[in-house]
Amino acid sequence: MKNSIETITLRAKEDVYRLLQGANFSKFLGQGYDFSELRTYDSSDDIRHISWINSAKFGEPYVKKMHEERELNVVVSMLIDGRMVIGKKQELMGQLLAVLSYSALYANDLLQSSLFIGESFEQREPNKRIEEVEATLKQLLEVEPLGLALDYGQIEHRLLEKIEEKSLLFLVGDFLDELDLSILAQKHEVCVLIVRDPWEEAPTQKPEAQLLNPISNRFLSQTLSSTAIKYYQQKLEEHDQKLYAHFNKHRIRYVKIFSSEEIVKSLEGLFYN
């Protein structure tokens, strides 16, 4: 376990260095400003504050005035159930937890992390301590996921109840169940990181294999026939399209990640627009 944590934290710090060298992710984490007003441009204004969209709309230069820089609240919430035993999903979630947490701390933002572990919920108080990141990472990696079931209907309610300040909220999980984040997205800037194992989206045909439901921890009577796989992939595609439509409707940023090698590129893409 110790070697695993050290490996993840070392890799995470390297990824954070790469992320903070790029403009998109570092600027987003550094957006500690409150919008104050929109007014016409004056020769004394910094041209970097020009709002090009509004300038085009009104036919003359406009600038956005901001309040003083403030501390950004970053919340990283991990959704852990039995499916985390598939492939290396649990380890990948640990890497994402570390990268997001270190990025927030290096940007001098306030960090709050929480773990939904089956039916239980644990949350750390907002802080700027690296040792808290490593303690949360250790806790996540020590979880035995098999047989854990999440109550997705309670996730939004619990987060609304526990996160007091307007925050940049990262939700990390496989999102293979329906989840309503509409109210949460009204209060916070919500970003969803969908963690999947490649096998979950493209299982191979193995009629002789015995299948286990990782949520109930019970064996299934079904087999991995070509017909079963085709039906499964069709239902998964329908589920994901419904999920994406929900995110788009409520302006929730999202990205799907399959491996640790994709983390930096995926996070940069998340904040491209």
Side-chain angles (χ1 to χ4, degrees), residues 106-122:
Y106 290 168
N108 200 34
D109 291 324
L110 199 59
L111 172 68
Q112 185 174 18
S113 58
S114 60
L115 303 177
F116 286 88
I117 306 174
E119 297 180 355
S120 68
F121 174 77
E122 299 188 30

Side-chain angles (χ1 to χ4, degrees), residues 11-255:
R11 173 66 182 269
K13 289 175 181 178
E14 293 174 351
D15 286 346
V16 169
Y17 177 79
R18 292 167 58 195
L19 276 171
L20 297 184
Q21 298 307 301
N24 300 322
F25 193 70
S26 58
K27 282 185 178 179
F28 193 88
L29 284 177
Q31 284 179 349
Y33 297 90
D34 283 322
F35 176 72
S36 174
E37 63 173 331
L38 183 70
R39 62 167 175 77
T40 55
Y41 173 79
D42 183 86
S43 58
S44 62
D45 291 321
D46 190 328
I47 61 172
R48 291 176 299 177
H49 297 158
I50 292 178
S51 172
W52 298 108
I53 293 177
N54 286 288
S55 297
K57 180 179 179 180
F58 295 112
E60 59 179 314
Y62 269 76
V63 295
K64 281 186 176 180
K65 292 291 292 181
M66 312 300 285
H67 288 305
E68 292 299 319
E69 187 170 359
R70 60 175 171 79
E71 202 170 48
L72 182 65
N73 297 299
V74 178
V75 179
V76 182
S77 190
M78 317 299 289
L79 311 182
I80 306 165
D81 63 15
R83 288 187 295 258
M84 292 305 112
V85 300
I86 299 174
K88 296 183 178 181
K89 287 168 67 174
Q90 187 172 3
E91 181 180 332
L92 179 54
M93 287 187 70
Q95 291 171 328
L96 285 167
L97 170 65
V99 169
L100 294 170
S101 299
Y102 286 136
S103 296
L105 295 185
Y106 290 168
N108 200 34
D109 291 324
L110 199 59
L111 172 68
Q112 185 174 18
S113 58
S114 60
L115 303 177
F116 286 88
I117 306 174
E119 297 180 355
S120 68
F121 174 77
E122 299 188 30
Q123 178 174 273
R124 295 185 181 272
E125 293 301 314
N127 66 87
K128 292 186 177 183
R129 299 187 298 273
I130 288 181
E131 57 268 24
E132 288 290 315
V133 176
E134 295 172 355
T136 307
L137 176 60
K138 181 175 184 293
Q139 183 180 3
L140 185 152
L141 294 177
E142 288 180 343
V143 172
E144 295 294 341
L146 189 62
L148 293 178
L150 280 170
D151 184 353
Y152 279 85
Q154 289 297 313
I155 290 174
E156 182 180 56
H157 172 74
R158 186 64 65 88
L159 291 173
L160 286 169
E161 181 182 62
K162 295 296 184 180
I163 306 174
E164 298 178 358
E165 301 293 331
K166 181 176 176 62
S167 304
L168 170 58
L169 169 61
F170 292 96
L171 277 174
V172 186
D174 60 21
F175 293 88
L176 287 169
D177 294 272
E178 292 189 12
L179 178 62
D180 186 353
L181 301 175
S182 56
I183 300 177
L184 197 64
Q186 292 178 31
K187 182 178 179 181
H188 304 289
E189 178 77 19
V190 180
C191 300
V192 167
L193 276 60
I194 304 170
V195 175
R196 300 268 178 91
D197 184 82
W199 184 88
E200 289 180 293
E201 302 210 347
T204 54
Q205 184 177 349
K206 291 184 178 180
E208 73 284 356
Q210 190 170 20
L211 302 180
L212 178 74
N213 184 328
I215 303 294
S216 64
N217 196 17
R218 295 180 179 178
F219 287 104
L220 303 174
S221 58
Q222 294 92 336
T223 60
L224 280 177
S225 64
S226 59
T227 302
I229 290 174
K230 183 177 180 180
Y231 177 79
Y232 163 80
Q233 290 179 315
Q234 178 184 339
K235 290 299 181 182
L236 179 62
E237 177 65 20
E238 291 174 1
H239 166 80
D240 281 353
Q241 290 305 315
K242 184 177 180 181
L243 188 70
Y244 301 155
H246 176 71
F247 292 158
N248 291 328
K249 179 179 179 180
H250 299 287
R251 298 185 178 182
I252 296 172
R253 298 170 187 260
Y254 62 93
V255 67

